[in-house]
């Protein structure tokens, strides 16, 4: 139970109508989601309502307030933006949104419509910067044994998970829905979540932090695929080595066959690797995916050498084998029988291996929340919801989430994605339907709000809203354009 509630005299029950659960809440208690409570017989949204403020902004940059520590109170004359965090919901949505706020930005009258959306259609896309194998594409991702998502298409240097979505929230067992909802809430709130991939790895992922795979914290994402690594470093290897093989789960590169080696007039070394040749010096499927060299299952790099061609190879030939992060490397010299013999790595080659590592960016986990605001939520903004959708598509209305910039997908509806690390702390909640609660704001010029059939009678001035109870003022974090500004085409 939320600490701030104190039992009051009497035992009045209030019914919360902020979501379909319709909790009946006794005095001093909270509803099932802990977001609403019965405070002395009155239904009350309990968490702080977050307003963000551009403190002492000069030329668009945020500078310390008058050289002193900011005391957390509203600073007169600094721009304010009302976020949806803690704003509450209106259910069913035919009622106007909880806050419809007017403000003025550089002489333009603006309106921001603010609510906490309840999203059954939502999930997160998790980007894990590693070439380490996490599991087969489409494999189930589980938390506490329940499937909460799946491995999806890998991206350049990163493994990708899709977690949540309406099928796991509502289409499976009750437990699957509950665990999925809890997982989403933790990921969106920046907490660590431990997951297991069927036929794959155990993962600990946390937004903005390095992933942990099979108990080992990842340090680097790869510099590029094997072919790209050849392209980047070919000139630095030229003259110091006769062949370089960059081992990679996706594209293994072979320097003397590769276009880069051809341009440098390097003679073919005659070392053939396994796998399917794609184009010169670029090989697919040299090994199975795994946790060895370059995201393959290779522990000894010589395993991927299929044959050494006596037509080109010579005793004394110098061979460097390296992974795409520089984490694995080995140097060989061919003996009289053309067998690679391990040798001490020359200093120059060692420097190039270290430089591969230096060029790898730190491995991070990124969590993008994705949800559809194209449903009934729009009715809290306008009597004619399709006009809101059109206004967003026509770039007349800016969509933000907790003031953070979002990407709105083209096509139907208002399906958006937002980086959870750019949002205020505690932006997310849940209801037991189950669904995720997230802030959303629609900002537009007042005349455009009138044109889309907005609830004009419900507009309140920002100065009045700024006097609301349970207000929390947070300094604008400057992650994107000021959310209260007119869209660029209007400002032009
Ligand atoms: S779950 Fe929360 S929002 Fe839904 S009715 Fe209960 S208290 Fe209200």
């Amino acid at each position: 139970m939320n600490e701030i509630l104190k039992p009051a005299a009497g035992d009045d029950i209030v019914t919360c109508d902020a979501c379909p659960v319709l909790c009946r809440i006794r005095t001093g208690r909270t509803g099932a989601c802990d977001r609403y409570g019965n405070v002395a017989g009155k239904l009350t949204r309990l968490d702080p309502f977050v307003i963000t403020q551009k403190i002492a902004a000069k030329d668009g940059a945020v500078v310390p307030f008058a050289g002193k520590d900011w005391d957390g109170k509203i600073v007169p004359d600094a721009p304010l933006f009302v976020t949806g965090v803690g704003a509450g919901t209106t259910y069913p949505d035919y009622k106007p949104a909880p806050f419809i706020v007017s403000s003025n930005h550089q002489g333009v009258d603006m309106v921001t419509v603010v609510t906490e959306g309840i999203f059954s259609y939502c999930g997160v896309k998790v980007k894990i910067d590693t070439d380490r194998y996490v599991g087969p594409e489409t494999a189930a991702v589980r938390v506490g044994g329940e499937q909460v998502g799946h491995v999806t298409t890998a991206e350049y240097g990163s493994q990708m998970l899709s977690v949540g979505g309406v099928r796991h929230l509502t289409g499976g067992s009750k437990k699957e829905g509950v665990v999925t909802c809890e997982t989403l809430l933790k990921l969106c709130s920046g907490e660590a979540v431990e997951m297991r991939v069927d036929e794959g790895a155990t993962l600990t992922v946390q937004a903005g932090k390095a992933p942990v795979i099979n108990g080992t914290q990842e340090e680097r994402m790869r510099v590029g695929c094997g072919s790209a690594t050849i392209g980047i470093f070919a000139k630095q290897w030229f003259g110091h080595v006769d062949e370089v093989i960059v081992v990679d789960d996706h594209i293994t590169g072979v320097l003397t066959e590769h276009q880069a080696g051809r341009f440098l007039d390097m003679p073919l070394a005659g070392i053939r690797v396994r796998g399917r040749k794609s184009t010169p010096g670029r090989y697919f499927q040299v090994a199975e995916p795994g946790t060895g060299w370059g995201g393959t299952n290779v522990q000894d790099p010589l395993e991927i050498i299929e044959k050494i061609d006596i037509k080109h190879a010579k005793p004394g030939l110098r061979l460097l084998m390296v992974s795409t992060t520089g984490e694995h490397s080995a140097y060989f010299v061919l003996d009289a029988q053309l067998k690679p013999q391990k040798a001490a790595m020359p200093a120059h080659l060692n420097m190039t291996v270290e430089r591969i590592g230096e060029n790898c960016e730190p491995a991070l986990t990124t969590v993008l929340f994705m949800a559809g605001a194209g449903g009934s939520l729009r009715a809290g903004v306008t009597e004619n919801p399709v006009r809101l959708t059109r206004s967003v598509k026509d770039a007349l209305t800016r969509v933000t989430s907790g003031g953070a910039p979002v990407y709105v997908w083209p096509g139907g509806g208002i399906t958006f994605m937002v980086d959870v690390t750019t949002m205020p702390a505690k932006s997310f909640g849940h209801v037991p339907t189950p669904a995720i609660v997230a802030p959303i704001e629609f900002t537009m010029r007042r005349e455009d709000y009138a044109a889309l059939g907005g609830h004009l009678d419900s507009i309140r001035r920002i100065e009045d809203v700024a006097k609301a109870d349970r207000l929390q003022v947070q300094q604008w974090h400057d992650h994107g354009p000021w959310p209260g500004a007119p869209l660029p085409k209007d400002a032009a």
Side-chain angles (χ1 to χ4, degrees):
M1 188 173 70
N2 196 302
E3 294 276 315
I4 70 166
L5 290 180
K6 294 206 170 52
D11 202 13
D12 297 336
I13 291 177
V14 294
T15 300
C16 176
D17 59 359
C19 92
V21 177
L22 298 176
C23 295
R24 287 167 50 78
I25 311 171
R26 290 186 183 281
T27 305
R29 299 295 187 112
T30 61
C33 66
D34 274 350
R35 296 164 57 240
Y36 285 88
N38 179 339
V39 180
K42 213 172 149 204
L43 182 70
T44 306
R45 179 71 178 88
L46 297 173
D47 300 298
F49 171 37
V50 175
I51 278 194
T52 187
Q53 189 166 35
K54 218 175 190 178
I55 313 290
K58 259 189 205 158
D59 303 329
V62 177
V63 296
F65 171 56
K68 295 185 216 149
D69 285 343
W70 176 49
D71 60 5
K73 296 201 178 113
I74 288 179
V75 177
D77 300 327
L80 277 171
F81 182 79
V82 177
T83 79
V85 181
T89 35
T90 48
Y91 184 83
D93 298 298
Y94 63 77
K95 292 182 262 180
F99 291 95
I100 303 179
V101 183
S102 67
S103 61
N104 188 284
H105 183 89
Q106 294 176 346
V108 182
D109 284 332
M110 304 294 294
V111 171
T112 300
V113 183
V114 170
T115 192
E116 285 180 301
I118 299 176
F119 297 105
S120 303
Y121 289 83
C122 73
V124 297
K125 305 296 173 218
V126 183
K127 174 173 165 282
I128 303 170
D129 299 335
T130 180
D131 59 356
R132 218 169 292 280
Y133 182 64
V134 299
E137 197 170 298
T138 76
V141 174
R142 297 181 190 277
V143 172
E146 296 294 327
Q147 185 176 358
V148 299
H150 63 273
V151 177
T152 187
T153 320
E155 298 298 345
Y156 199 89
S158 307
Q159 308 292 347
M160 302 290 294
L161 308 180
S162 178
V163 177
V166 70
R167 191 172 73 78
H168 294 301
L169 280 169
T170 67
S173 66
K174 186 170 178 193
K175 191 169 172 213
E176 180 180 331
V178 168
V179 174
T180 300
C181 192
E182 284 171 1
T183 302
L184 289 176
L185 188 55
K186 281 186 178 171
L187 287 172
C188 290
S189 304
E191 294 177 35
V193 176
E194 194 168 303
M195 303 169 162
R196 174 171 276 285
V197 179
D198 283 2
E199 297 173 49
T202 55
L203 308 168
T204 305
V205 290
Q206 183 173 10
K209 298 276 191 298
V212 178
I213 301 174
N214 292 328
T216 304
Q217 183 170 308
E218 287 295 285
E219 302 289 340
R220 313 166 184 169
M221 72 185 292
R222 67 181 186 171
V223 65
C225 67
S227 172
T229 309
I230 293 275
I232 295 168
F233 291 98
K235 213 165 169 197
Q236 300 179 40
W237 287 321
F238 182 60
H240 296 273
V241 68
D242 302 305
E243 184 61 289
V244 180
I245 298 173
V246 183
V247 183
D248 178 30
D249 175 35
H250 303 132
I251 306 172
T252 287
V254 180
L255 175 60
T256 63
E257 298 177 27
H258 193 276
Q259 191 78 344
R262 309 308 300 156
F263 270 122
L264 292 167
D265 279 336
M266 290 185 76
L268 291 173
I271 301 177
R272 271 299 310 267
V273 297
R274 290 192 319 217
R276 181 159 68 82
K277 186 170 176 178
S278 157
T279 51
R282 301 168 75 253
Y283 289 83
F284 299 158
Q285 299 153 14
V286 296
E288 293 295 315
T291 53
W293 281 56
T296 68
N297 62 349
V298 163
Q299 301 301 330
D300 173 4
L302 297 180
E303 282 174 38
I304 68 163
I305 294 180
E306 192 169 74
K307 66 170 185 182
I308 295 183
D309 186 351
I310 52 167
K311 210 163 83 189
H312 299 289
K314 303 272 178 302
L317 186 144
R318 301 162 298 170
L319 167 66
L320 171 67
M321 298 189 80
V322 62
S323 69
T324 45
T325 55
E327 195 182 331
H328 295 95
S329 62
Y331 178 69
F332 303 90
V333 177
L334 298 197
D335 65 14
Q337 286 72 46
L338 301 182
K339 280 217 166 87
Q341 300 297 341
K342 202 160 183 188
M345 176 99 62
H348 179 85
L349 293 185
N350 207 32
M351 181 276 289
T352 63
V353 170
E354 281 172 9
R355 193 167 279 177
I356 290 175
E358 186 189 332
N359 275 269
C360 295
E361 293 173 72
L364 285 182
T365 304
T366 311
V367 176
L368 292 193
F369 175 69
M370 181 165 168
S376 61
L377 181 152
R378 295 171 301 167
V381 182
T382 163
E383 291 172 352
N384 200 350
V386 75
R387 288 203 191 160
L388 175 64
T389 315
R390 287 185 195 138
S391 180
V392 171
K393 303 289 175 206
D394 292 344
L396 297 173
T397 294
R398 170 183 285 116
V399 185
T400 50
S401 184
V406 307
Y407 173 76
V408 179
W409 280 70
I414 304 171
T415 302
F416 68 96
M417 293 197 299
V418 57
D419 174 356
V420 301
T421 61
T422 61
M423 299 169 69
K426 300 191 175 161
S427 284
F428 290 87
H430 84 290
V431 290
T433 51
I436 290 291
V437 178
I440 189 158
E441 306 93 27
F442 299 98
T443 301
M444 66 215 90
R445 288 187 302 177
R446 192 184 180 110
E447 68 211 57
D448 290 329
Y449 189 50
L452 61 79
H455 303 295
L456 297 181
D457 293 346
S458 300
I459 294 178
R460 291 187 254 176
R461 282 159 26 105
I462 196 160
E463 295 79 11
D464 297 333
V465 174
K467 292 178 195 144
D469 292 339
R470 68 184 180 84
L471 204 71
Q472 187 183 82
V473 187
Q474 290 192 8
Q475 185 161 341
W476 171 241
H477 47 48
D478 226 11
H479 279 308
W482 176 243
L487 282 146
K489 89 177 200 184
D490 301 321

